[in-house]
Amino acid sequence: MLDTAYNEIRLLSHNLLPEEFEKQGLAEALKHFVRKINQTKTIQFDLSIDPQLGRLSPQVEFELYSICLELVNNILKHAKATQAQINLSAPALRGSDRAADRPNGELKLIVSDNGIGFFSNESDGKGIKNVRARIESLNGTWQVKSIENHGITNIISIPL
């Protein structure tokens, strides 16, 4: 188990800014990341990305990727889950593929799992504080829903 955990953390650290991110953006980087993490077979991740999303600003893409890494890391370390999902959508952006065309749009990132729900921890760790700071830097909001023995759902909304 220790070897598996080490390999998963190592995988996360090697994906801090993968080549796909610079070349092809957030969607392709997340696809690559999920493919690699699913090779561990510990937890099966499903990824759903709105095909209408297109490229976002470099800052937004980087912050969202970093948020995903941290939330996935928490799932791997704490959730005791067998399945997890990452969903990136922009329901208000239908029919538009350029960032300039969607100044009033909203992006939703949902990261969820079927694990144990919240584990008892007196204070937020550095990872959670980093997620919160990244969301605030994007003027976004973050809702966390936890059901004991049914997992956690993180809902992040970012105005575009």
Side-chain angles (χ1 to χ4, degrees), residues 42-148:
T42 304
I43 299 174
Q44 184 66 37
F45 280 81
D46 292 319
L47 176 65
S48 173
I49 299 174
D50 186 337
Q52 299 295 319
L53 188 60
R55 293 293 302 262
L56 304 167
S57 77
Q59 180 200 2
V60 171
E61 287 194 345
F62 176 76
E63 298 294 0
L64 288 171
Y65 187 77
S66 298
I67 289 166
C68 282
L69 286 181
E70 189 58 51
L71 294 176
V72 167
N73 185 42
N74 284 346
I75 291 170
L76 293 172
K77 284 173 44 177
H78 305 294
K80 299 180 182 173
T82 58
Q83 294 181 326
Q85 297 81 34
I86 300 171
N87 183 296
L88 189 59
S89 65
L93 307 181
R94 295 271 179 225
S96 173
D97 61 355
R98 291 182 28 228
D101 294 338
R102 50 186 192 233
N104 299 320
E106 180 179 75
L107 181 102
K108 281 213 186 295
L109 170 65
I110 300 172
V111 180
S112 59
D113 66 70
N114 69 347
I116 61 172
F118 277 125
F119 60 98
S120 60
N121 188 358
E122 292 300 312
S123 63
D124 289 344
K126 284 184 182 179
I128 294 299
K129 289 177 183 172
N130 285 339
V131 169
R132 186 173 290 116
R134 290 179 188 284
I135 293 167
E136 288 173 5
S137 78
L138 297 173
N139 297 313
T141 60
W142 183 17
Q143 291 179 294
V144 180
K145 298 177 182 178
S146 175
I147 300 173
E148 190 172 347

